[in-house]
Protein backbone atom coordinates (compact mmCIF):
# COMPACT_ATOMS: atom_id res chain seq x y z
CA UNK A 1 0.00 0.00 0.00
CA UNK A 2 1.35 3.39 -0.99
CA UNK A 3 0.98 6.35 1.35
CA UNK A 4 0.72 8.82 -1.52
CA UNK A 5 -2.52 10.79 -1.29
CA UNK A 6 -4.89 10.17 -4.20
CA UNK A 7 -8.02 12.08 -3.26
CA UNK A 8 -8.64 14.67 -0.58
CA UNK A 9 -12.11 15.90 0.33
CA UNK A 10 -12.37 19.02 2.47
CA UNK A 11 -15.52 20.33 4.18
CA UNK A 12 -17.80 18.85 1.53
CA UNK A 13 -21.44 19.90 1.80
CA UNK A 14 -24.44 18.75 -0.21
CA UNK A 15 -27.62 20.58 0.76
CA UNK A 16 -30.72 19.94 -1.34
CA UNK A 17 -33.26 22.78 -1.38
CA UNK A 18 -36.92 21.95 -0.72
CA UNK A 19 -39.22 24.28 -2.61
CA UNK A 20 -42.81 25.11 -1.73
CA UNK A 21 -45.60 27.69 -1.99
CA UNK A 22 -46.98 29.15 -5.23
CA UNK A 23 -43.65 30.84 -6.06
CA UNK A 24 -41.70 27.65 -5.40
CA UNK A 25 -39.37 29.42 -3.00
CA UNK A 26 -36.87 27.49 -0.93
CA UNK A 27 -38.69 26.60 2.28
CA UNK A 28 -36.19 24.17 3.79
CA UNK A 29 -33.01 22.26 3.08
CA UNK A 30 -31.97 18.63 3.29
CA UNK A 31 -28.54 18.60 4.96
CA UNK A 32 -27.49 15.34 3.24
CA UNK A 33 -23.73 15.86 3.62
CA UNK A 34 -22.70 18.55 6.06
CA UNK A 35 -19.00 19.27 6.15
CA UNK A 36 -17.14 16.01 5.51
CA UNK A 37 -13.34 15.93 5.24
CA UNK A 38 -11.57 12.68 4.35
CA UNK A 39 -8.68 11.50 2.23
CA UNK A 40 -7.69 8.24 0.53
CA UNK A 41 -4.18 7.15 -0.43
CA UNK A 42 -3.25 5.31 -3.62
CA UNK A 43 -4.04 1.59 -3.39
CA UNK A 44 -5.90 2.00 -0.08
CA UNK A 45 -9.47 1.19 0.98
CA UNK A 46 -11.55 3.56 3.05
CA UNK A 47 -14.71 1.98 4.49
CA UNK A 48 -17.56 4.46 4.96
CA UNK A 49 -20.24 3.16 7.28
CA UNK A 50 -23.57 4.33 8.68
CA UNK A 51 -27.26 3.47 8.60
CA UNK A 52 -29.40 4.18 5.54
CA UNK A 53 -30.19 7.88 5.29
CA UNK A 54 -26.87 9.03 6.78
CA UNK A 55 -25.69 10.63 3.53
CA UNK A 56 -23.04 8.05 2.54
CA UNK A 57 -24.24 7.47 -1.02
CA UNK A 58 -24.75 11.20 -1.62
CA UNK A 59 -21.18 11.76 -0.40
CA UNK A 60 -19.87 9.08 -2.80
CA UNK A 61 -21.70 10.61 -5.76
CA UNK A 62 -20.68 14.17 -4.80
CA UNK A 63 -17.00 13.36 -4.65
CA UNK A 64 -17.26 11.87 -8.15
CA UNK A 65 -19.15 15.05 -9.17
CA UNK A 66 -22.19 12.97 -10.20
CA UNK A 67 -24.04 15.30 -7.80
CA UNK A 68 -22.89 18.92 -7.66
CA UNK A 69 -21.64 19.68 -4.13
CA UNK A 70 -23.02 22.83 -2.48
CA UNK A 71 -19.53 23.73 -1.24
CA UNK A 72 -16.19 22.25 -0.28
CA UNK A 73 -13.23 20.90 -2.17
CA UNK A 74 -12.37 17.59 -3.85
CA UNK A 75 -8.73 17.35 -4.93
CA UNK A 76 -7.80 14.36 -7.08
CA UNK A 77 -4.14 13.93 -8.04
CA UNK A 78 -3.72 17.62 -7.08
CA UNK A 79 -6.52 18.88 -9.38
CA UNK A 80 -9.63 20.55 -7.93
CA UNK A 81 -12.58 18.62 -9.38
CA UNK A 82 -15.32 21.01 -8.22
CA UNK A 83 -13.94 23.78 -10.49
CA UNK A 84 -13.67 21.71 -13.67
CA UNK A 85 -15.90 22.16 -16.73
CA UNK A 86 -18.00 19.18 -17.88
CA UNK A 87 -15.58 18.53 -20.75
CA UNK A 88 -12.54 18.47 -18.43
CA UNK A 89 -14.41 16.37 -15.91
CA UNK A 90 -15.13 13.77 -18.60
CA UNK A 91 -11.38 13.04 -18.77
CA UNK A 92 -11.46 12.21 -15.05
CA UNK A 93 -14.31 9.74 -15.49
CA UNK A 94 -11.67 7.28 -16.65
CA UNK A 95 -9.86 7.43 -13.31
CA UNK A 96 -12.91 7.59 -11.05
CA UNK A 97 -15.52 4.86 -11.28
CA UNK A 98 -18.50 3.64 -9.27
CA UNK A 99 -20.10 0.24 -8.62
CA UNK A 100 -23.76 0.46 -7.59
CA UNK A 101 -25.74 -1.62 -5.13
CA UNK A 102 -28.21 -3.15 -7.55
CA UNK A 103 -26.54 -4.53 -10.67
CA UNK A 104 -29.98 -5.30 -12.17
CA UNK A 105 -30.75 -1.59 -12.26
CA UNK A 106 -27.32 -0.36 -13.27
CA UNK A 107 -26.91 -2.71 -16.27
CA UNK A 108 -28.98 -2.03 -19.40
CA UNK A 109 -31.24 -5.10 -19.72
CA UNK A 110 -31.49 -4.72 -23.52
CA UNK A 111 -27.72 -4.77 -24.05
CA UNK A 112 -25.48 -7.83 -24.21
CA UNK A 113 -22.41 -7.98 -21.97
CA UNK A 114 -20.35 -7.09 -25.04
CA UNK A 115 -22.38 -3.91 -25.63
CA UNK A 116 -22.27 -2.99 -21.92
CA UNK A 117 -18.48 -3.29 -21.76
CA UNK A 118 -17.86 -1.92 -25.25
CA UNK A 119 -19.49 1.43 -24.47
CA UNK A 120 -16.87 2.87 -22.05
CA UNK A 121 -14.04 1.55 -24.27
CA UNK A 122 -15.49 3.33 -27.31
CA UNK A 123 -16.21 6.58 -25.45
CA UNK A 124 -12.64 6.74 -24.14
CA UNK A 125 -11.11 5.39 -27.40
CA UNK A 126 -9.43 2.39 -25.76
CA UNK A 127 -8.16 -0.12 -28.36
CA UNK A 128 -7.53 0.58 -32.07
CA UNK A 129 -10.29 -1.55 -33.55
CA UNK A 130 -13.46 -3.37 -32.61
CA UNK A 131 -11.49 -6.63 -32.49
CA UNK A 132 -9.00 -5.05 -30.09
CA UNK A 133 -11.87 -3.98 -27.85
CA UNK A 134 -13.44 -7.41 -28.00
CA UNK A 135 -10.15 -8.93 -26.84
CA UNK A 136 -10.09 -6.43 -23.94
CA UNK A 137 -13.65 -7.43 -23.02
CA UNK A 138 -12.73 -11.13 -22.99
CA UNK A 139 -9.78 -10.41 -20.70
CA UNK A 140 -12.01 -8.27 -18.43
CA UNK A 141 -14.47 -11.17 -18.11
CA UNK A 142 -11.61 -13.46 -17.22
CA UNK A 143 -10.37 -11.00 -14.59
CA UNK A 144 -13.76 -10.91 -12.86
CA UNK A 145 -14.22 -14.71 -13.05
CA UNK A 146 -16.86 -14.96 -15.80
CA UNK A 147 -16.60 -17.41 -18.75
CA UNK A 148 -15.73 -15.96 -22.16
CA UNK A 149 -19.11 -17.02 -23.59
CA UNK A 150 -20.81 -14.51 -21.25
CA UNK A 151 -20.04 -11.93 -23.90
CA UNK A 152 -23.21 -12.63 -25.94
CA UNK A 153 -25.57 -12.96 -23.00
CA UNK A 154 -27.99 -10.45 -21.49
CA UNK A 155 -27.99 -9.39 -17.80
CA UNK A 156 -31.15 -11.42 -16.98
CA UNK A 157 -29.22 -14.61 -17.82
CA UNK A 158 -26.92 -14.11 -14.81
CA UNK A 159 -27.29 -14.51 -11.04
CA UNK A 160 -27.04 -11.46 -8.74
CA UNK A 161 -23.37 -12.16 -7.95
CA UNK A 162 -22.53 -12.63 -11.65
CA UNK A 163 -24.31 -9.38 -12.52
CA UNK A 164 -22.19 -7.59 -9.94
CA UNK A 165 -19.10 -9.13 -11.60
CA UNK A 166 -20.24 -7.51 -14.87
CA UNK A 167 -20.63 -4.20 -12.98
CA UNK A 168 -17.08 -4.63 -11.66
CA UNK A 169 -15.78 -5.45 -15.17
CA UNK A 170 -17.36 -2.22 -16.42
CA UNK A 171 -15.81 -0.25 -13.54
CA UNK A 172 -12.28 -1.59 -14.17
CA UNK A 173 -12.52 -1.43 -18.00
CA UNK A 174 -10.85 1.99 -18.10
CA UNK A 175 -8.17 1.07 -15.54
CA UNK A 176 -9.31 3.62 -12.96
CA UNK A 177 -7.36 4.71 -9.89
CA UNK A 178 -10.34 4.94 -7.54
CA UNK A 179 -13.64 3.05 -7.41
CA UNK A 180 -16.52 4.06 -5.15
CA UNK A 181 -18.29 0.82 -4.19
CA UNK A 182 -21.74 2.05 -3.17
CA UNK A 183 -23.30 -0.76 -1.10
CA UNK A 184 -21.80 -3.01 -3.79
CA UNK A 185 -22.41 -6.27 -1.91
CA UNK A 186 -25.44 -5.33 0.23
CA UNK A 187 -28.00 -6.97 -2.07
CA UNK A 188 -26.09 -10.28 -2.26
CA UNK A 189 -26.23 -13.46 -0.16
CA UNK A 190 -23.53 -13.70 2.51
CA UNK A 191 -21.56 -16.44 0.66
CA UNK A 192 -21.66 -14.43 -2.59
CA UNK A 193 -20.68 -11.27 -0.66
CA UNK A 194 -17.42 -12.85 0.42
CA UNK A 195 -16.64 -13.99 -3.15
CA UNK A 196 -17.16 -10.46 -4.45
CA UNK A 197 -15.11 -8.96 -1.60
CA UNK A 198 -12.27 -11.38 -2.41
CA UNK A 199 -12.50 -10.43 -6.09
CA UNK A 200 -12.26 -6.73 -5.16
CA UNK A 201 -9.19 -7.46 -3.00
CA UNK A 202 -7.52 -9.44 -5.83
CA UNK A 203 -8.19 -6.64 -8.32
CA UNK A 204 -6.83 -4.08 -5.87
CA UNK A 205 -3.58 -6.00 -5.57
CA UNK A 206 -3.30 -6.56 -9.30
CA UNK A 207 -4.26 -3.05 -10.43
CA UNK A 208 -3.24 -0.88 -7.46
CA UNK A 209 -6.83 0.37 -7.08
CA UNK A 210 -8.09 2.54 -4.25
CA UNK A 211 -11.65 1.98 -3.00
CA UNK A 212 -14.15 3.98 -1.05
CA UNK A 213 -16.31 1.16 0.20
CA UNK A 214 -19.74 2.35 1.34
CA UNK A 215 -21.83 0.00 3.50
CA UNK A 216 -24.42 0.13 6.26
CA UNK A 217 -22.85 -2.83 8.00
CA UNK A 218 -19.50 -2.66 9.80
CA UNK A 219 -19.05 -6.44 9.43
CA UNK A 220 -18.89 -6.11 5.63
CA UNK A 221 -16.15 -3.46 5.58
CA UNK A 222 -14.04 -5.17 8.23
CA UNK A 223 -11.95 -7.38 5.95
CA UNK A 224 -11.55 -4.98 3.09
CA UNK A 225 -10.75 -1.62 4.71
CA UNK A 226 -7.47 -0.04 5.75
CA UNK A 227 -9.30 2.87 7.38
CA UNK A 228 -12.91 3.27 8.44
CA UNK A 229 -15.04 6.41 8.72
CA UNK A 230 -18.40 6.30 10.49
CA UNK A 231 -21.03 8.75 9.28
CA UNK A 232 -24.16 9.93 11.06
CA UNK A 233 -26.66 12.42 9.64
CA UNK A 234 -24.25 13.95 7.13
CA UNK A 235 -21.21 14.17 9.41
CA UNK A 236 -18.23 11.97 10.22
CA UNK A 237 -18.43 10.94 13.88
CA UNK A 238 -15.39 8.63 14.02
CA UNK A 239 -12.41 7.85 11.81
CA UNK A 240 -9.31 5.73 12.28
CA UNK A 241 -7.57 2.59 10.96
CA UNK A 242 -9.68 -0.54 10.64
CA UNK A 243 -8.05 -2.46 13.53
CA UNK A 244 -8.55 0.30 16.09
CA UNK A 245 -12.11 1.13 15.12
CA UNK A 246 -13.18 -2.42 15.97
CA UNK A 247 -10.86 -2.89 18.96
CA UNK A 248 -11.29 0.54 20.60
CA UNK A 249 -14.30 2.45 19.27
CA UNK A 250 -14.60 5.89 20.90
CA UNK A 251 -18.05 7.00 19.72
CA UNK A 252 -21.29 5.46 21.06
CA UNK A 253 -22.71 5.24 17.52
CA UNK A 254 -19.71 3.18 16.35
CA UNK A 255 -20.10 0.98 19.44
CA UNK A 256 -23.75 0.42 18.57
CA UNK A 257 -22.89 -0.54 14.97
CA UNK A 258 -20.19 -2.93 16.20
CA UNK A 259 -22.49 -4.50 18.76
CA UNK A 260 -25.03 -5.17 15.99
CA UNK A 261 -22.53 -7.48 14.22
CA UNK A 262 -23.70 -11.07 14.81
CA UNK A 263 -21.34 -13.01 17.10
CA UNK A 264 -20.38 -16.44 15.69
CA UNK A 265 -20.06 -17.85 19.24
CA UNK A 266 -23.60 -17.76 20.77
CA UNK A 267 -22.22 -18.28 24.32
CA UNK A 268 -19.83 -15.34 24.20
CA UNK A 269 -20.95 -12.41 26.38
CA UNK A 270 -21.35 -9.24 24.39
CA UNK A 271 -21.53 -5.62 25.49
CA UNK A 272 -24.64 -4.55 23.52
CA UNK A 273 -25.44 -0.91 22.73
CA UNK A 274 -29.01 -0.81 21.46
CA UNK A 275 -30.04 2.15 19.32
CA UNK A 276 -33.45 3.71 19.89
CA UNK A 277 -35.60 4.63 16.87
CA UNK A 278 -34.49 5.62 13.39
CA UNK A 279 -32.09 8.20 12.00
CA UNK A 280 -33.79 11.64 12.40
CA UNK A 281 -34.68 13.68 9.31
CA UNK A 282 -31.74 15.46 7.67
CA UNK A 283 -34.14 18.38 6.99
CA UNK A 284 -34.10 19.41 10.64
CA UNK A 285 -31.18 17.65 12.34
CA UNK A 286 -31.16 17.61 16.17
CA UNK A 287 -29.37 20.49 17.96
CA UNK A 288 -25.99 20.00 19.67
CA UNK A 289 -24.76 16.47 19.03
CA UNK A 290 -26.91 15.12 16.20
CA UNK A 291 -26.83 11.69 17.83
CA UNK A 292 -28.24 12.87 21.20
CA UNK A 293 -31.83 11.77 20.47
CA UNK A 294 -30.65 8.13 20.21
CA UNK A 295 -27.53 8.06 22.34
CA UNK A 296 -27.79 5.94 25.52
CA UNK A 297 -25.12 8.15 27.18
CA UNK A 298 -26.51 11.60 26.24
CA UNK A 299 -26.25 14.34 28.88
CA UNK A 300 -27.62 17.93 28.97
CA UNK A 301 -24.54 19.38 27.26
CA UNK A 302 -25.10 17.04 24.30
CA UNK A 303 -28.42 18.74 23.48
CA UNK A 304 -26.88 22.19 23.08
CA UNK A 305 -23.18 21.91 22.23
CA UNK A 306 -22.05 20.32 19.00
CA UNK A 307 -18.97 18.13 19.66
CA UNK A 308 -15.90 18.81 17.51
CA UNK A 309 -14.22 16.02 15.56
CA UNK A 310 -11.00 15.71 17.61
CA UNK A 311 -7.93 13.48 17.41
CA UNK A 312 -7.67 11.19 20.46
CA UNK A 313 -4.66 9.26 19.00
CA UNK A 314 -4.27 5.51 19.14
CA UNK A 315 -1.62 3.96 21.39
CA UNK A 316 0.77 3.80 18.45
CA UNK A 317 0.32 7.55 17.85
CA UNK A 318 -1.84 7.14 14.73
CA UNK A 319 -4.88 9.33 14.14
CA UNK A 320 -8.17 8.44 15.85
CA UNK A 321 -10.80 11.13 15.29
CA UNK A 322 -14.10 11.17 17.19
CA UNK A 323 -16.91 13.71 17.66
CA UNK A 324 -18.29 13.09 21.14
CA UNK A 325 -18.01 15.18 24.36
CA UNK A 326 -17.30 11.97 26.27
CA UNK A 327 -15.34 10.02 23.66
CA UNK A 328 -14.02 6.71 24.97
CA UNK A 329 -15.52 7.17 28.47
CA UNK A 330 -18.13 4.46 28.11
FE1 LIG B 1 -23.76 10.71 22.96
FE2 LIG B 1 -23.29 13.14 23.94
FE3 LIG B 1 -21.32 11.77 22.83
FE4 LIG B 1 -23.27 12.75 21.34
S1 LIG B 1 -21.78 13.93 22.51
S2 LIG B 1 -22.40 10.76 21.19
S3 LIG B 1 -25.02 12.49 22.67
S4 LIG B 1 -22.42 11.22 24.68
Amino acid sequence: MSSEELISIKDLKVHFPIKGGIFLREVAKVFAVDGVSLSVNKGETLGLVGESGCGKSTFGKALLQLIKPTSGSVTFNNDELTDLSKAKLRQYRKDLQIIFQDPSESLNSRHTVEQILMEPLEIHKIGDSRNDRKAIIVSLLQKVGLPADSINKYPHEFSGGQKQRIGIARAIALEPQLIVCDEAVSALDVSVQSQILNLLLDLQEEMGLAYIFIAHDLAVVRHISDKVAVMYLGKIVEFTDADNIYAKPLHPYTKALISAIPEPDPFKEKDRVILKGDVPSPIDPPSGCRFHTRCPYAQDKCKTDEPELKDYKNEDGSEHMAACHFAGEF
Side-chain angles (χ1 to χ4, degrees):
M1 189 182 78
S2 154
S3 59
E4 201 181 327
E5 190 172 87
L6 180 66
I7 191 162
S8 166
I9 300 120
K10 295 222 167 75
D11 203 19
L12 195 77
K13 293 184 181 168
V14 185
H15 297 166
F16 298 114
I18 298 178
K19 299 198 171 159
I22 46 172
F23 297 112
L24 286 181
R25 290 210 177 101
E26 184 178 313
V27 291
K29 273 192 186 118
V30 178
F31 296 92
V33 178
D34 207 14
V36 170
S37 300
L38 286 171
S39 63
V40 182
N41 293 336
K42 288 188 177 171
E44 177 182 87
T45 300
L46 169 73
L48 181 62
V49 183
E51 292 158 286
S52 301
C54 281
K56 312 176 303 286
S57 292
T58 306
F59 171 76
K61 289 180 186 130
L63 74 92
L64 298 179
Q65 309 301 302
L66 298 173
I67 293 175
K68 184 94 191 126
T70 309
S71 62
S73 141
V74 180
T75 322
F76 179 75
N77 276 340
N78 299 322
D79 277 326
E80 178 56 52
L81 298 189
T82 55
D83 289 343
L84 294 181
S85 65
K86 276 196 175 161
K88 276 254 175 204
L89 206 50
R90 213 167 294 132
Q91 296 168 13
Y92 278 94
R93 292 272 171 257
K94 208 169 155 292
D95 293 321
L96 300 160
Q97 290 289 315
I98 185 162
I99 302 168
F100 294 101
Q101 173 174 3
D102 189 348
S104 306
E105 278 181 20
S106 66
L107 302 174
N108 188 330
S109 59
R110 281 175 296 180
H111 283 184
T112 61
V113 170
E114 180 177 348
Q115 288 169 307
I116 290 168
L117 299 179
M118 187 66 81
E119 192 184 11
L121 300 177
E122 280 177 344
I123 291 172
H124 289 273
K125 300 186 172 45
I126 311 280
D128 293 330
S129 64
R130 204 169 168 81
N131 275 346
D132 267 5
R133 290 181 195 125
K134 213 164 166 174
I136 294 172
I137 291 170
V138 171
S139 89
L140 284 169
L141 291 174
Q142 199 181 13
K143 265 190 184 165
V144 299
L146 287 172
D149 66 357
S150 308
I151 199 162
N152 296 318
K153 293 185 178 168
Y154 289 87
H156 74 267
E157 296 178 72
F158 295 92
S159 67
Q162 288 172 324
K163 278 186 218 165
Q164 198 53 297
R165 287 176 191 264
I166 301 169
I168 294 169
R170 183 175 57 185
I172 61 167
L174 302 174
E175 300 187 355
Q177 296 188 56
L178 174 78
I179 301 180
V180 173
C181 305
D182 186 5
E183 300 274 7
V185 298
S186 305
L188 305 172
D189 291 345
V190 176
S191 61
V192 183
Q193 278 187 357
S194 54
Q195 291 166 15
I196 297 293
L197 291 175
N198 285 335
L199 171 63
L200 290 169
L201 285 170
D202 290 346
L203 292 171
Q204 179 169 52
E205 202 175 306
E206 191 183 329
M207 302 174 72
L209 294 163
Y211 295 127
I212 294 182
F213 196 89
I214 296 173
H216 58 267
D217 181 345
L218 261 172
V220 167
V221 298
R222 186 172 200 151
H223 299 295
I224 197 165
S225 303
D226 299 296
K227 292 177 186 163
V228 176
V230 179
M231 195 165 179
Y232 187 76
L233 265 185
K235 287 183 180 280
I236 299 300
V237 296
E238 185 156 4
F239 167 79
T240 189
D241 58 90
D243 289 342
N244 275 297
I245 207 136
Y246 293 95
K248 292 191 182 116
L250 298 179
H251 196 283
Y253 183 55
T254 314
K255 281 196 154 189
L257 294 178
I258 291 172
S259 77
I261 299 174
E263 176 57 59
D265 177 357
F267 300 105
K268 193 173 170 192
E269 288 270 322
K270 203 170 174 185
D271 187 13
R272 296 271 309 186
V273 182
I274 309 287
L275 285 182
K276 297 176 277 182
D278 295 321
V279 181
S281 166
I283 297 173
D284 187 17
S287 59
C289 173
R290 290 182 177 196
F291 186 53
H292 85 253
T293 53
R294 300 172 78 204
C295 179
Y297 311 107
Q299 300 186 29
D300 285 347
K301 180 183 185 184
C302 306
K303 296 179 190 163
T304 50
D305 298 4
E306 185 173 353
E308 258 179 72
L309 189 64
K310 285 198 292 200
D311 190 358
Y312 291 87
K313 295 260 184 256
N314 293 311
E315 273 169 17
D316 62 4
S318 59
E319 192 178 41
H320 194 148
M321 311 292 291
C324 170
H325 295 306
F326 310 100
E329 292 180 22
F330 317 102

